[in-house]
Amino acid sequence: MGADKKWQEIAWGEHLHMGLYEGERDTRQQAMMRATARMAWELPIDAGSRVLEVACGAGQAARHLATQYGCCVHATNIDERQLELGRQLTEAAGLDHLVTFGWGDFHELDGEDDSLDLWWCQEALVHSPAKARVLGEAFRVLKPGGIAVLSDLVVTDDIEPDVRRRLYSRIPTEVVWTREQYAGAIPEAGFEVLRLDDWSDNVARSYDEAREILLARESELKEKVPGNVYDDTLELYDLWVDRARRGQIGWLHYRLRKRGA
């Protein structure tokens, strides 16, 4: 990825998502790829489908969908550096005829009403201060009967306020939804739930392994960022691991269908 990549990505890789583990020998990259593959399993799309990935990172999910289904995917993000990396990786994979990239905010999509077959958002809504608006935009651009694929981190109501503030210190919002809030917002936005998977057992291991990578590369990372940033990040990852093990942080996967088919 080059010397200009954000140092946090050393811990997470280019995928930047939770991992779905099946065994002790799983690597984080294997687990992250498994999560994407599980979300994409047996979707009702084909080569003629119109697909949008929002908050795409470097477009790993978009490339997976294009490879598996032969569909055209437009991947959007507000981070121009990640968009450029996505274009490079997609060209190297020989998929630039199927996957395109562009700047886009999932709170206000450029797409026309009732125009898409699939909308995809993988662990990005946690960063939104207006999650209901994002779901509303997904509903707007999908065709009647269109599919929304969503995974996100959730929290419980019993996290102490000071701990909550610390957990959210690297997230540009003070609102991370509970599963109950998702359960209310999804039908309110106009969707029906086709599938719900609770993958919460994987959160602690995902953060713990990211923390181990940071520890192993301490000297390298401290050359890139001030030492207090490195130390604060380790402390924050410890907190996420602890609260995930207590059952206060979860991870849900939804497959939704737009009503009106």
Side-chain angles (χ1 to χ4, degrees):
M1 293 176 67
D4 63 337
K5 71 178 180 179
K6 292 181 179 178
W7 71 272
Q8 295 97 329
E9 292 172 8
I10 292 176
W12 294 93
E14 69 188 44
H15 196 21
L16 293 171
H17 292 299
M18 296 290 104
L20 189 58
Y21 295 88
E22 289 189 347
E24 290 300 319
R25 295 185 178 181
D26 276 355
T27 67
R28 290 192 66 256
Q29 289 299 313
Q30 288 172 331
M32 288 189 287
M33 292 295 291
R34 181 179 294 114
T36 300
R38 196 73 57 84
M39 291 172 65
W41 183 253
E42 293 185 337
L43 288 170
I45 57 175
D46 56 27
S49 298
R50 295 188 62 191
V51 176
L52 174 69
E53 182 187 7
V54 298
C56 67
Q60 187 276 332
R63 289 187 291 276
H64 180 88
L65 291 167
T67 299
Q68 181 165 338
Y69 293 102
C71 57
C72 291
V73 184
H74 185 54
T76 62
N77 200 335
I78 60 172
D79 186 330
E80 291 288 358
R81 186 189 56 81
Q82 287 188 333
L83 287 170
E84 181 55 32
L85 173 61
R87 294 184 187 101
Q88 294 171 12
L89 293 171
T90 300
E91 183 178 1
L95 292 169
D96 48 326
H97 63 298
L98 292 176
V99 180
T100 58
F101 292 85
W103 191 95
D105 183 344
F106 57 11
H107 298 96
E108 190 171 356
L109 299 175
D110 290 335
E112 298 178 358
D113 294 0
D114 305 325
S115 60
L116 299 178
D117 298 287
L118 179 72
W119 175 95
W120 178 289
C121 183
Q122 194 168 354
E123 285 119 63
L125 261 177
V126 69
H127 298 283
S128 169
K131 296 171 179 55
R133 183 175 176 184
V134 176
L135 292 175
E137 279 292 275
F139 182 88
R140 180 183 67 79
V141 298
L142 282 169
K143 299 175 182 177
I147 301 297
V149 176
L150 167 69
S151 66
D152 203 19
L153 293 167
V154 293
V155 296
T156 57
D157 284 325
D158 60 344
I159 301 177
E160 307 91 323
D162 58 328
V163 174
R164 192 181 297 270
R165 285 191 293 271
R166 178 62 178 140
L167 285 170
Y168 300 172
S169 61
R170 301 290 177 84
I171 301 173
T173 177
E174 296 181 356
V175 181
V176 177
W177 273 1
T178 64
R179 65 186 64 216
E180 291 80 15
Q181 285 174 294
Y182 264 112
I186 285 170
E188 187 174 335
F191 290 104
E192 60 178 320
V193 178
L194 300 180
R195 183 182 182 95
L196 169 58
D197 294 307
D198 188 336
W199 292 339
S200 302
D201 289 347
N202 296 270
V203 176
R205 183 169 173 184
S206 292
Y207 272 93
D208 195 34
E209 294 198 5
R211 182 183 180 282
E212 290 300 315
I213 293 171
L214 293 184
L215 284 170
R217 303 178 72 170
E218 178 178 1
S219 59
E220 173 189 351
L221 289 170
K222 284 190 171 180
E223 290 181 359
K224 299 177 182 293
V225 297
N228 66 303
V229 173
Y230 174 85
D231 293 337
D232 286 350
T233 301
L234 285 179
E235 180 185 339
L236 181 59
Y237 283 13
D238 278 339
L239 185 59
W240 276 81
V241 170
D242 174 63
R243 295 303 166 137
R245 287 175 176 163
R246 295 190 194 193
Q248 293 180 316
I249 301 173
W251 177 31
L252 303 178
H253 161 236
Y254 289 97
R255 184 171 297 185
L256 312 173
R257 180 164 57 203
K258 178 176 177 176
R259 293 196 186 103

